[in-house]
Amino acid sequence: MVRTRTVLLLACCLMLSACGNNGAAQKQDAAAEGGNVPTTQQNETGHVPTPSGSTDAVNEPDKPDPELSANGSQEPPTDEPDKKPDAVASAKPQYYMNKVYRIVPNDDSVPDKVVLLTFDDGPKDEDMINQLIDTLDKHEAKAIFFVNGYRVKENPELLKLIHDRGQVIGNHSWDHIDLKKESKQNVEEQIGNVQKIVKETIGTEPKFFRPPFGSGGDTVKDIAKDHDLLFMTWSNGSLDWESKNKNKPDAVVNNVLEQLHPGSNILMHELPWTVEALDSLLTKLESKGYGFVDPGLIEPKIR
């Protein structure tokens, strides 16, 4: 009897144990069906999913490297400087000056309806110089500014201004005296000292020489040649230096137009009425089909 009770008690314990295991399993299954997942679950790409509506760019691509080259390639920086064209490359001469100081084309491919613009007796005044060059720039023109040495000594900054603004410097003697009446030694000083002070001021020597009053002679021409200067007077005078034309810009314009010819070597001065006349003059020359020769395109000798 006792043995029978013992067997029955063991059987009941086994049944109760089985029921407890089944209940835990059911609870685990129910939790899975309710959608609860671990918060660290990753998607197929290996990134944590971003909640809907979030602005965080979890999957943001790499930002460009600031050292990227202009074409977008990841190239190492180079120490090689930028290559720029030579801004001072010498140009082949297209014109020469004949014995009456006119500008002549070297061949038929070069326009003959051109004028050479020149201004004597400076540098004097910053405002006048700037106004002259402003007008030249407006018409894309170059001119020779024939300077006196004593004026350069007094106003070296004005010579630098002319040079820095892209115009050409010419030699007009030191003291603006009649060189034809001077000794050879004095002529040498009058020309050579201007070459020297101009080079000291802007780094280059003039290539053109005009004697004051157009008065020269063989001695003056030889000394100019010794300094590699192209000797010239003019072939078209504006007469802006005559008292009758003072403060009369229209008279300056008319004087030039009355003498106009292809290759005109036009003499003007750094004077207020010439400054006022210049824009009108250049406009009228252009309307007649004339261009403005760059002095750098003129051969350095007469023929």
Side-chain angles (χ1 to χ4, degrees), residues 88-283:
V88 292
S90 58
K92 182 180 178 181
Q94 297 179 1
Y95 297 89
Y96 68 92
M97 185 168 291
N98 67 16
K99 294 180 180 179
V100 291
Y101 309 114
R102 296 186 180 188
I103 307 301
V104 183
N106 280 344
D107 56 61
D108 293 338
S109 67
V110 181
D112 66 337
K113 288 188 73 172
V114 295
V115 300
L116 175 63
L117 304 172
T118 69
F119 300 93
D120 286 13
D121 297 357
K124 297 178 184 176
D125 180 83
E126 182 178 357
D127 288 341
M128 284 198 293
I129 291 171
N130 275 320
Q131 288 181 64
L132 286 172
I133 299 178
D134 285 345
T135 302
L136 293 171
D137 287 348
K138 175 182 176 181
H139 294 268
E140 299 182 352
K142 300 291 184 183
I144 303 174
F145 285 75
F146 284 101
V147 300
N148 297 124
Y150 79 93
R151 293 189 186 277
V152 173
K153 185 176 180 179
E154 292 172 353
N155 302 291
E157 73 283 355
L158 297 183
L159 186 78
K160 292 177 183 177
L161 172 63
I162 297 169
H163 174 72
D164 291 345
R165 293 201 60 182
Q167 299 299 319
V168 179
I169 303 297
N171 185 327
H172 197 41
S173 84
W174 188 273
D175 288 311
H176 202 279
I177 57 178
D178 188 346
L179 297 180
K180 196 171 185 179
K181 300 177 181 178
E182 300 297 318
S183 67
K184 182 176 180 180
Q185 180 179 350
N186 200 17
V187 172
E188 171 61 41
E189 292 175 354
Q190 287 287 318
I191 295 176
N193 288 346
V194 173
Q195 294 295 93
K196 181 180 179 181
I197 195 172
V198 170
K199 185 173 183 179
E200 289 174 349
T201 306
I202 63 172
T204 58
E205 291 183 330
K207 301 297 182 185
F208 304 96
F209 173 74
R210 173 176 285 157
F213 318 109
S215 179
D218 291 340
T219 298
V220 177
K221 291 178 181 178
D222 289 343
I223 292 174
K225 185 177 180 180
D226 290 341
H227 285 279
D228 297 321
L229 287 161
L230 176 60
F231 179 101
M232 71 172 79
T233 60
W234 58 90
S235 67
N236 184 324
S238 67
L239 304 180
D240 59 354
W241 63 91
E242 293 190 353
S243 58
K244 66 179 181 180
N245 295 318
K246 183 177 181 180
N247 296 321
K248 296 179 180 178
D250 290 342
V252 174
V253 173
N254 291 334
N255 288 335
V256 171
L257 295 181
E258 287 172 3
Q259 305 169 65
L260 185 61
H261 56 268
S264 287
N265 180 351
I266 302 173
L267 167 62
M268 295 174 282
H269 291 78
E270 188 184 319
L271 294 167
W273 46 95
T274 304
V275 172
E276 188 176 346
L278 188 61
D279 186 42
S280 174
L281 173 61
L282 301 192
T283 300

Side-chain angles (χ1 to χ4, degrees), residues 282-298:
L282 301 192
T283 300
K284 291 186 183 217
L285 289 171
E286 288 173 323
S287 71
K288 295 179 179 293
Y290 280 83
F292 311 111
V293 66
D294 185 335
L297 299 178
I298 301 173

Side-chain angles (χ1 to χ4, degrees), residues 47-58:
H47 294 280
V48 178
T50 303
S52 176
S54 171
T55 59
D56 294 335
V58 178

